[in-house]
Amino acid sequence: MNITATLIAQIIAFVALIWFVNKLLWGPVTKMMTDRQKRIADGLAAADKGQHELVRAEEHAKELVRAAKAQAGEIIALAEKRGGEIVEEAKLGARSEADRLVLTAKAEIEQEINRAKEQLRGQVVSVSVAGAQRILGREIDAKAHGDLLKDLVAQI
């Protein structure tokens, strides 16, 4: 064999191999690499977007927590204010109830004093009648001398 013929055959085989690799393998591998590169780029973009959404969600959550804390503070302040109002209302109610009880007690005391005075007047009349009986030595009829006894009670 001739070296030139072998060299030409090798060149033709090499060109055919390059053409075969370029047509059948290089195109699909390049397309596969391009698709993979696009998927990776889409994944990275989605990760960046997800990261951005996460940051926004965290900021929104912090904002909601701040608003909730502010609202809780307002609620606590209102509750404390209402608690103070309830205490004041209770104090006023207790004072008015105490005043009413004092007035009722004074009225009852006055009634008891009047009853005691009436009983004392009756006892004084009985003692006076008994003393007059002893002094006069005879019995005094309370019915017969009713007007005198009533006058005596009125004077006492």
Side-chain angles (χ1 to χ4, degrees):
M1 279 214 128
N2 187 350
I3 193 144
T4 314
T6 307
L7 187 60
I8 292 179
Q10 283 179 350
I11 290 175
I12 291 174
F14 186 70
V15 169
L17 179 67
I18 289 176
W19 179 81
F20 175 75
V21 167
N22 194 19
K23 274 293 186 192
L24 296 177
L25 294 175
W26 191 258
V29 167
T30 305
K31 184 178 183 293
M32 210 169 47
M33 293 295 276
T34 305
D35 290 345
R36 183 168 181 220
Q37 189 178 23
K38 185 177 183 288
R39 278 196 316 261
I40 290 171
D42 289 345
L44 289 174
D48 286 342
K49 183 179 177 185
Q51 186 69 25
H52 180 68
E53 290 295 322
L54 176 66
V55 168
R56 284 184 47 207
E58 287 175 351
E59 288 175 1
H60 183 67
K62 287 178 184 176
E63 221 173 275
L64 288 176
V65 167
R66 268 188 248 118
K69 284 182 180 179
Q71 188 176 12
E74 290 174 7
I75 289 171
I76 289 171
L78 287 175
E80 288 174 351
K81 180 181 175 186
R82 181 63 183 138
E85 290 173 356
I86 289 171
V87 167
E88 287 301 317
E89 289 173 5
K91 284 181 182 177
L92 290 175
R95 284 185 188 130
S96 65
E97 182 67 17
D99 291 343
R100 186 188 63 79
L101 289 175
V102 166
L103 288 176
T104 304
K106 283 182 181 179
E108 288 178 8
I109 290 170
E110 190 66 34
Q111 289 175 353
E112 287 296 321
I113 289 172
N114 288 336
R115 278 190 221 125
K117 284 181 181 178
E118 287 298 320
Q119 286 178 353
L120 188 59
R121 283 181 187 153
Q123 289 175 358
V124 168
V125 168
S126 298
V127 170
S128 297
V129 168
Q133 277 179 342
R134 283 189 179 177
I135 291 174
L136 295 176
R138 61 185 169 138
E139 189 171 319
I140 298 176
D141 185 15
K143 290 183 181 181
H145 299 95
D147 290 338
L148 288 173
L149 292 176
K150 285 181 185 177
D151 187 39
L152 180 62
V153 168
Q155 287 178 2
I156 295 176

